Amino acid sequence: MTITLEPHSTVLFTGDSITDLWRPDGEDRCGYPLLVAGEWCFRHPARPLTWINAAHAGDTTEDLEARWRTDVLDAHPDVVSVLVGVNDNGRHTFDPTAREMSAAEFTANYHRLLAPLAEAGTALILIEPFLVPVRGDITAGIHRDGDAAEVVVGEDTRQAWRTGLDPKIRAVRDLAAEYHAELLAADALFAALSTSDRPERWSEDGVHPTPAGHRALAEAWLDLVT
């Protein structure tokens, strides 16, 4: 089953830096929401849509919830696409004062985001949070309100991220089934791509996609709509 995008519908993307496409000064790349919108306009010129990107770099499910009314509900979107979870999982790596969020808390927060949309009849696309299986010591960062905090992340830390993220990925899959949402299995997608090519092609730090990674996400997203 796919979502049919009717002419003049509003499609809203929300999430963290992956969707917001935080980038260093002077670096230019196309994020998956922009690639989706451009490809849709090329394929379906007779079905114009309104595209909104309400994502904020560094956000967790709690941060999304704090602005959900103004960023999402007040826009009255017909389709909402959500990608969140990596900061719920690993923010404490970059900010020692941040607490680790359990899968149960993550799920409860996500329920509160989706419930009013389901009540309004909004079509939903849920994207799994993901980790691309890069190896070795990698410089990774969290980006929030224009600031960046970077640390060198080794194998032990990434394994801890994976341990914490897996139950959150399962939660998103369960939520997609419960809310009759389309699921973009991004973690599985990048795992499969990384078996046939170097993981660094898709993400240099394991978290933020490269242009090729964003293209892969965009193609998978477009497969969910018609």
Side-chain angles (χ1 to χ4, degrees):
M1 182 177 178
T2 57
I3 294 171
T4 299
L5 300 180
E6 302 292 346
H8 308 293
S9 296
T10 295
V11 179
L12 186 147
F13 296 89
T14 190
D16 52 36
S17 61
I18 300 168
T19 304
D20 184 23
L21 193 63
W22 178 92
R23 53 190 178 271
D25 291 341
E27 181 181 339
D28 191 18
R29 68 172 73 158
C30 292
Y32 76 91
L34 184 59
L35 293 172
V36 163
E39 184 65 20
W40 177 268
C41 293
F42 175 74
R43 294 182 189 179
H44 306 284
R47 279 195 281 166
L49 304 174
T50 297
W51 304 91
I52 299 174
N53 190 337
H56 292 261
D59 269 7
T60 64
T61 48
E62 288 180 338
D63 297 317
L64 291 185
E65 187 179 359
R67 294 190 310 273
W68 202 242
R69 168 58 61 185
T70 55
D71 280 5
V72 178
L73 301 181
D74 287 351
H76 302 290
D78 300 287
V79 180
V80 172
S81 174
V82 186
L83 169 53
V84 69
V86 70
N87 294 312
D88 296 77
N89 192 58
R91 181 182 281 180
H92 58 279
T93 302
F94 306 92
D95 178 4
T97 66
R99 65 182 181 85
E100 297 186 47
M101 184 174 294
S102 69
E105 291 174 293
F106 174 80
T107 303
N109 293 342
Y110 220 133
H111 268 297
R112 290 192 291 272
L113 299 178
L114 299 181
L117 294 172
E119 185 176 348
T122 307
L124 299 170
I125 295 175
L126 305 188
I127 305 177
E128 291 176 354
F130 56 85
L131 287 174
V132 179
V134 296
R135 302 298 299 272
D137 291 343
I138 303 294
T139 299
I142 187 169
H143 313 289
R144 186 167 178 79
D145 299 328
D147 296 324
E150 294 189 334
V151 299
V152 175
V153 178
E155 296 283 357
D156 289 346
T157 298
R158 278 202 304 281
Q159 183 56 53
W161 284 358
R162 170 54 69 185
T163 299
L165 192 64
D166 281 346
K168 296 179 177 70
I169 292 171
R170 291 193 293 270
V172 173
R173 294 172 183 171
D174 291 343
L175 287 162
E178 179 175 350
Y179 285 92
H180 306 289
E182 293 294 332
L183 174 69
L184 198 169
D187 192 63
L189 169 69
F190 284 120
L193 290 172
S194 296
T195 63
S196 58
D197 209 329
R198 296 175 63 252
E200 290 78 11
R201 182 182 180 193
W202 313 109
S203 174
E204 294 178 357
D205 63 4
V207 174
H208 300 93
T210 60
H214 278 286
R215 180 64 186 180
L217 281 175
E219 290 179 357
W221 197 100
L222 286 163
D223 285 342
L224 302 177
V225 299
T226 185

